[in-house]
Amino acid sequence: MSAPGRIGAMIAGQTHAQRNRLRLAAAGGAVVSAAAVSLLGLSGWFITGAAFAGLAGAAAAQGFNYMMPSAIIRLLAILRTGARYVERVSGHEAALKALARLRPQLFDAIASGPTAQALALSSGELSGRLVQDVDAIQTLFVRRSAPWSLGAGVGSAVLLAGLASRGAAAALFGVMVVTCLGCVVIARRLAAPAGREIQIAVGALKDRLSALEAAAPELKAYGLDGWAVREVEEAAARHDRAKITLVRAGGWMALWQAVATALAVGLIMAATIGSPLPLIALAALVAVMGVDSAAGLAGALHQGGAASEALKRLDAVITDPTVRGGRSPHGHTLALPSMTEDCAPPLRIGLFGPSGAGKTTLIERLIGLREILPGEARLGGRDASEIVTADRRALFAYAAQDVRLLDASVRDNLLMAGAVDDAAMWVALEDAGLAARIRAAPGRLDARVGPNGERLSGGERRRLGLARALLRDAPWLVLDEPTEGLDGATEVRVLDALDRRLTARGQGLILVSHRTGPLALCDRVNRVSGRDGDGRILIASQPAEAAA
């Protein structure tokens, strides 16, 4: 199976990195098939030959050499068991190590790709891509030994069947070819569509679960629990139907192999009429195990549809990032829409305006969370749209209005700002008005905040996001409604600490707020009034008191 685009390059890289384990797994698979076919065939020959020797009388029984065949049988049994262990361990180790390296690469590719594409993925859909889709491509590594196992099984079975008659060898080879072709047809007609549907359905299910879980309090408040359950049941039913179809496809493959096995035995019995009975037994039994050696190929085909769809879904979200220009800014100056002159730290710029005018959109475009339009802003004397996103982001420390926190400790969430020591964390928490709350928490900096900070109040989550932004070393601090939800006294303490910190560090400020208190910190206040016909944000400089 060929992998498309960048995901194909990633898989090729991991295949090369795990090549020694994969080669070992392929060799183990080949030994397993050859040993299994030889073991069953030789066992049939030995048992039949020993039986006839016993019937021939004591003299024949005494002359029958049972030591060498029994020793070879034991050797083959040991080889099959040991090779099976080597194949399974090497193949799965290669797959697990490859997937462990692929997931971070995929996450980095998504995060560094086009911003609009990354933001278009919900958390549930992203989880589906990085978990279920990556798990589905595991078969590309685990099943790489299947062709070698099949080849060794076919070769050894045909050679041993040829000891009985050439017709038996030809018949067995023909049946094994037909067996493989039948598995391919069943896979394409049943297994592949079902596998693709499973990957799509599980992504939709995770997306729906994630959306409903995020709205759980509202759903309970409005008595919509039953509706939410039905929505999940509907998404789960689609996934279950696809799973049932895939299981049925596996059943049809197993039935086809059983029919092929019976056909092979029947043809060999007919082709070996007149041959010695021990050789007939050998040929019949190697036919059984020879057809069984196609099981690895059938398993790969059974999982091929899911793997193929997973590759498409993964490649769709890791397209090459679009980089316009590529120049770096000269210095730390900036000019927002409608500003005729560039500003530099420690200038403080305030943004206010009606809801929906585009205040948050403007700063998200500026710092690279959305695509910025040409001519919308300047950074370092250059059009911001011509500057690589990573270079733009390096200029800003950002505390969003909608704070997102890791399901981890306070320390882990603060370390997202960069490598800082505990002393700096406590200073930032003090300036954000959250130090007393964290000192009182069990574990202090190691206290868990829960999924998206659910163990904290809304105001505490906002202040933890502010503390994180304060810790980031950047020329400009960007705050979006930093005191929303705070009581008056807390707001005053936070703003006083922010004023002192900005003065001490010489850091610039871009602040979005509807409140006069935060805007009073700013040297220049701008009213965001909306968008022009091309979608650019429009602002106008106004006196600070106009924000009231």
Side-chain angles (χ1 to χ4, degrees):
M1 181 187 301
S2 60
R6 291 187 67 196
I7 185 63
M10 291 181 182
I11 290 175
Q14 291 307 315
T15 301
H16 181 74
Q18 303 300 326
R19 61 189 182 280
N20 291 333
R21 292 185 178 90
L22 293 173
R23 288 170 181 168
L24 189 59
V31 172
V32 167
S33 290
V37 170
S38 301
L39 174 62
L40 191 59
L42 182 59
S43 298
W45 173 86
F46 180 60
I47 294 171
T48 306
F52 276 99
L55 292 174
Q62 290 293 328
F64 183 75
N65 182 5
Y66 66 88
M67 295 294 292
M68 182 61 70
S70 61
I72 294 175
I73 289 173
R74 180 168 295 184
L75 173 63
L76 290 173
I78 294 173
L79 280 175
R80 184 185 64 173
T81 303
R84 176 69 72 190
Y85 177 81
V86 169
E87 179 199 15
R88 293 292 174 84
V89 171
S90 299
H92 284 84
E93 185 179 13
L96 293 174
K97 285 183 177 294
L99 299 192
R101 289 170 173 80
L102 274 174
R103 281 195 173 94
Q105 290 179 11
L106 288 166
F107 186 87
D108 179 67
I110 293 171
S112 61
T115 304
Q117 179 174 283
L119 293 176
L121 289 173
S122 68
S123 58
E125 182 66 17
L126 182 59
S127 173
R129 304 284 174 111
L130 292 178
V131 179
Q132 276 74 23
D133 286 341
V134 173
D135 284 344
I137 64 176
Q138 182 177 195
T139 186
L140 301 180
F141 299 93
V142 174
R143 299 291 184 180
R144 287 184 73 88
S145 61
W148 297 93
S149 299
L150 176 61
V154 171
S156 56
V158 170
L159 285 174
L160 290 175
L163 297 177
S165 74
R166 293 182 178 179
L172 178 56
F173 181 77
V175 170
M176 295 188 73
V177 171
V178 172
T179 301
C180 294
L181 292 176
C183 288
V184 170
V185 171
I186 294 172
R188 289 183 176 178
R189 294 290 182 87
L190 298 177
R196 289 193 293 268
E197 177 64 14
I198 285 175
Q199 294 308 116
I200 296 171
V202 76
L205 176 59
K206 277 184 164 286
D207 183 45
R208 199 70 185 128
L209 279 171
S210 176
L212 292 172
E213 190 275 336
E218 289 79 6
L219 292 173
K220 292 179 180 179
Y222 287 97
L224 295 174
D225 307 61
W227 171 82
V229 170
R230 289 191 297 273
E231 288 285 303
V232 174
E233 287 177 344
E234 183 178 341
R238 177 186 177 187
H239 174 260
D240 291 343
R241 287 192 296 269
K243 288 282 287 186
I244 291 171
T245 303
L246 186 62
V247 171
R248 285 175 177 167
W252 282 110
M253 283 187 178
L255 178 61
W256 174 250
Q257 286 182 268
V259 171
T261 300
L263 177 63
V265 172
L267 291 175
I268 282 179
M269 296 297 290
T272 54
I273 294 175
S275 300
L277 288 177
L279 291 180
I280 294 176
L282 180 149
L285 290 176
V286 298
V288 173
M289 192 54 66
V291 174
D292 186 70
S293 65
L297 176 64
L301 293 171
H302 186 245
Q303 300 171 8
S308 176
E309 183 63 30
L311 289 172
K312 292 179 182 177
R313 284 163 53 83
L314 290 171
D315 197 61
V317 296
I318 57 169
T319 52
D320 291 322
T322 55
V323 179
R324 286 193 311 225
R327 298 185 296 173
S328 300
H330 287 158
H332 303 150
T333 63
L334 71 83
L336 297 177
S338 304
M339 293 176 58
T340 57
E341 59 182 20
D342 292 355
C343 305
L347 188 73
R348 304 175 186 179
I349 302 170
L351 300 175
F352 75 101
S355 296
K359 302 181 296 296
T360 298
T361 299
L362 173 61
I363 60 177
E364 287 181 347
R365 288 179 179 179
L366 186 66
I367 66 178
L369 295 181
R370 295 180 186 271
E371 186 175 355
I372 194 166
L373 302 178
E376 194 164 39
R378 292 192 306 276
L379 287 172
R382 289 178 168 167
D383 193 310
S385 66
E386 298 178 354
I387 299 172
V388 178
T389 302
D391 291 342
R392 295 214 313 269
R393 290 176 182 167
L395 299 177
F396 304 100
Y398 179 47
Q401 181 178 7
D402 182 17
V403 179
R404 298 299 177 96
L405 300 175
L406 299 176
D407 182 9
S409 66
V410 172
R411 184 194 311 277
D412 291 334
N413 278 279
L414 292 177
L415 284 173
M416 291 176 66
V420 293
D421 56 24
D422 287 5
M425 291 184 188
W426 284 116
V427 172
L429 290 170
E430 193 72 48
D431 289 345
L434 196 60
R437 166 71 173 83
I438 301 304
R439 286 194 180 96
R444 295 158 66 90
L445 289 175
D446 294 317
R448 307 282 298 188
V449 302
N452 201 27
E454 67 177 15
R455 297 181 185 176
L456 303 175
S457 69
E460 289 169 345
R461 287 197 297 269
R462 193 180 300 277
R463 280 179 281 164
L464 184 55
L466 172 61
R468 182 168 59 192
L470 295 177
L471 286 170
R472 179 171 168 83
D473 185 18
W476 292 95
L477 178 63
V478 182
L479 305 179
D480 193 353
E481 301 287 0
T483 61
E484 191 71 24
L486 303 184
D487 61 86
T490 303
E491 180 183 43
V492 170
R493 289 198 302 271
V494 169
L495 292 177
D496 286 345
L498 178 61
D499 185 27
R500 292 193 300 271
R501 190 179 186 99
L502 291 172
T503 301
R505 300 182 64 182
Q507 192 174 28
L509 174 68
I510 302 174
L511 185 144
V512 174
S513 183
H514 290 93
R515 303 161 71 101
T516 56
L519 291 174
L521 293 178
C522 299
D523 305 311
R524 178 179 298 179
V525 177
N526 301 274
R527 185 178 189 277
V528 179
S529 56
R531 296 171 171 83
D532 63 15
D534 296 324
R536 294 180 180 84
I537 307 298
L538 300 175
I539 68 172
S541 180
Q542 294 196 359
E545 58 270 15

